[in-house]
């Protein structure tokens, strides 16, 4: 990491533009050298930190030192760290190319943290017009062909889990007649930063129309609840909850003022969109692959269950139908939660 910092600051110390690439196990990176990443940021370091990602449900063999479920949350704390969790080769190409543009051509003092997958799978061609969405952190990968009058859900995924989200969409449509639009989310962190910037602008310009976040803009005309799944702890995808759960529906009536002159905006015909987040909270395991996978809520069955439960909360499916779906997917509702035990009201402390 010290060599990376030296190369990443050579533009300032030696007048030589170097853009280093440092590849490591993602857990070894931000978990163990995170303080160096912060120090490098303070020194205006540039470069690419490439995390070879060994996901929590994978049989690590060496135990928890390889089970990364939170490195992107650590990276999100560093203001100059631009973090992505891509799935496909074209996403990686777009991100690296733009990173070189920013750090070399534009001379921006940023560095990148990009997680890389270590599983063999087919990489599709890049769809037309998705490059801006890749960089912003969100784009529509596949639109459902299910009839518009059927229940609908928006499925979000990134990194190792995006392909599982695609599989979940296929089964939701085939087994439950639920239309599932699939969104790739290369960066929940960049989406949150952009959303906070939009909120800040609106706060400082009270006489102007509220500026919508990119997430709100993308989902504005999409129907149904939103289910996000990643191979990180749920807090990772939960970063964008304020922007997903904003009110949707028919346009509100014009602002009105009460007797004290306070402005309020009614939301007639609108509702708060439901947002369900699935992740890999808890410790990883190093058992054979068939054992750790059910320990986490990151597998296709849970994605499908999340989709049917989300539409159930919107009254598209009854509670009986959702329970039947859980049985069909062989999901045990009484299985132990991977989170530490929570003291509930009335229980002894």
């Amino acid at each position: 990491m010290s060599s990376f910092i030296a190369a990443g600051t050579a533009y300032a110390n030696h007048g030589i533009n170097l853009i280093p690439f440092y590849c490591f196990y993602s857990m070894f990176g931000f978990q163990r050298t995170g303080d160096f990443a912060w120090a490098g940021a303070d020194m205006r370091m540039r470069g690419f930190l490439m995390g070879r990602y060994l996901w929590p449900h994978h049989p690590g063999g060496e135990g928890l030192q390889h089970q990364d479920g939170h490195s992107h949350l650590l990276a999100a704390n560093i203001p100059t760290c631009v973090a992505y969790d891509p799935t496909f080769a074209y996403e990686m190409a777009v991100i690296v190319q733009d990173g070189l543009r920013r750090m070399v051509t534009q001379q921006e003092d940023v560095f990148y943290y990009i997680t890389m997958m270590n599983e063999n799978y087919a990489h599709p061609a890049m769809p037309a017009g998705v490059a801006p969405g890749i960089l912003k952190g969100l784009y529509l990968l596949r639109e459902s062909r299910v009839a518009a009058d059927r229940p609908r859900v928006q499925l979000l995924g990134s990194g190792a889990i995006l392909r599982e989200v695609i599989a979940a969409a296929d089964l939701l449509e085939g087994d439950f007649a639920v239309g599932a639009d699939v969104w790739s989310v290369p960066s929940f962190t960049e989406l949150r930063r952009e959303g906070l910037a939009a909120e800040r602008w609106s706060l400082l310009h009270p006489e102007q129309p509220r500026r919508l976040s990119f997430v709100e803009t993308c989902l504005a005309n999409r129907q149904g609840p939103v289910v996000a799944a990643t191979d990180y702890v749920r807090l990772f995808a939960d970063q964008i909850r304020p922007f997903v759960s904003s009110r949707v529906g028919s346009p509100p009536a014009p602002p009105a003022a009460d007797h004290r002159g306070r402005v309020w905006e009614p939301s007639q015909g609108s509702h708060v969109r439901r947002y369900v987040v699935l992740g890999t909270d808890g410790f990883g395991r190093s058992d054979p692959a068939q054992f750790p996978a059910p320990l986490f809520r990151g597998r296709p069955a849970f994605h499908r269950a999340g989709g049917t439960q989300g539409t159930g909360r919107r009254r598209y499916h009854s509670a009986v139908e959702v329970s039947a779906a859980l049985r069909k997917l062989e999901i045990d509702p009484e299985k132990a939660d991977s989170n530490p035990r929570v003291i509930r009201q009335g229980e002894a402390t």
Side-chain angles (χ1 to χ4, degrees):
M1 190 65 186
S2 296
S3 297
F4 180 82
I5 294 174
T9 57
Y11 74 96
N13 295 328
H14 305 288
I16 302 173
N17 270 322
L18 297 177
I19 302 297
F21 284 76
Y22 176 27
C23 303
F24 49 66
Y25 276 118
S26 53
M27 189 66 161
F28 290 149
F30 270 93
Q31 179 76 4
R32 299 188 180 179
T33 63
D35 194 42
F36 283 98
W38 181 272
D42 189 39
M43 298 167 66
R44 301 168 71 178
M45 170 185 71
R46 301 171 185 172
F48 292 92
L49 294 175
M50 311 296 292
R52 181 179 179 272
Y53 180 44
L54 197 62
W55 44 87
H57 70 255
H58 190 280
E62 295 185 41
L64 297 182
Q65 65 174 333
H66 281 172
Q67 310 296 350
D68 174 24
H70 55 275
S71 68
H72 272 284
L73 288 176
L74 300 177
N77 291 311
I78 304 177
T80 60
C81 180
V82 185
Y84 287 95
D85 184 36
T87 302
F88 298 122
Y90 67 82
E91 295 177 339
M92 178 73 78
V94 169
I95 293 165
V96 171
Q97 183 182 47
D98 191 66
L100 291 172
R101 178 191 65 82
R102 293 180 64 179
M103 290 184 284
V104 177
T105 304
Q106 301 297 325
Q107 290 290 295
E108 290 187 43
D109 296 331
V110 297
F111 71 97
Y112 280 62
Y113 175 55
I114 307 175
T115 41
M116 305 178 292
M117 306 302 103
N118 64 350
E119 192 173 18
N120 292 323
Y121 53 89
H123 292 260
M126 178 174 167
V130 301
I134 292 173
L135 297 176
K136 286 181 176 291
L138 175 68
Y139 69 94
L140 182 62
L141 179 64
R142 193 181 77 179
E143 189 166 15
S144 175
R145 295 183 180 179
V146 172
D149 61 345
R150 294 299 305 163
R152 210 167 191 89
V153 64
Q154 306 300 315
L155 299 183
L156 279 57
S158 71
I161 289 297
L162 177 58
R163 294 184 305 114
E164 308 285 6
V165 171
I166 296 171
D170 292 336
L171 286 164
L172 278 170
E173 295 181 351
D175 294 358
F176 301 101
V178 173
D181 298 330
V182 178
W183 298 77
S184 176
V185 190
S187 183
F188 283 97
T189 301
E190 288 301 295
L191 290 177
R192 175 172 174 77
R193 288 172 173 173
E194 189 276 341
L196 292 177
E199 281 190 345
R200 179 183 182 274
W201 187 94
S202 297
L203 179 67
L204 298 176
H205 298 81
E207 297 183 28
Q208 300 295 322
R210 185 175 72 87
R211 179 173 291 181
L212 297 178
S213 68
F214 184 67
V215 173
E216 291 173 296
T217 301
C218 289
L219 299 177
N221 298 318
R222 298 285 166 174
Q223 298 301 312
V226 179
V227 180
T230 77
D231 228 9
Y232 292 89
V233 296
R234 279 172 280 184
L235 188 59
F236 176 51
D238 213 52
Q239 292 183 95
I240 65 170
R241 180 176 294 278
F243 317 114
V244 174
S245 300
S246 60
R247 291 189 176 275
V248 295
S250 59
D258 64 12
H259 66 285
R260 295 182 179 178
R262 294 175 299 190
V263 175
W264 58 280
E265 297 184 9
S267 53
Q268 299 172 358
S270 66
H271 63 274
V272 176
R273 190 194 299 270
R274 178 167 169 76
Y275 185 42
V276 179
V277 174
L278 306 176
T280 54
D281 293 49
F283 289 119
R285 297 292 185 270
S286 55
D287 280 326
Q290 67 269 27
F291 293 111
L295 293 172
F296 300 105
R297 297 186 174 185
R299 308 307 295 159
F302 274 108
H303 304 163
R304 298 191 290 274
T308 54
Q309 186 185 61
T311 56
R313 292 295 180 88
R314 291 290 302 137
R315 298 298 184 265
Y316 294 124
H317 289 90
S318 68
V320 173
E321 290 175 311
V322 175
S323 295
L326 291 174
R327 290 192 295 271
K328 183 175 182 178
L329 298 171
E330 298 181 352
I331 295 176
D332 179 9
E334 304 303 325
K335 75 178 295 295
D337 195 334
S338 58
N339 279 322
R341 181 174 180 273
V342 177
I343 303 291
R344 293 178 176 83
Q345 185 175 3
E347 292 183 339
T349 58

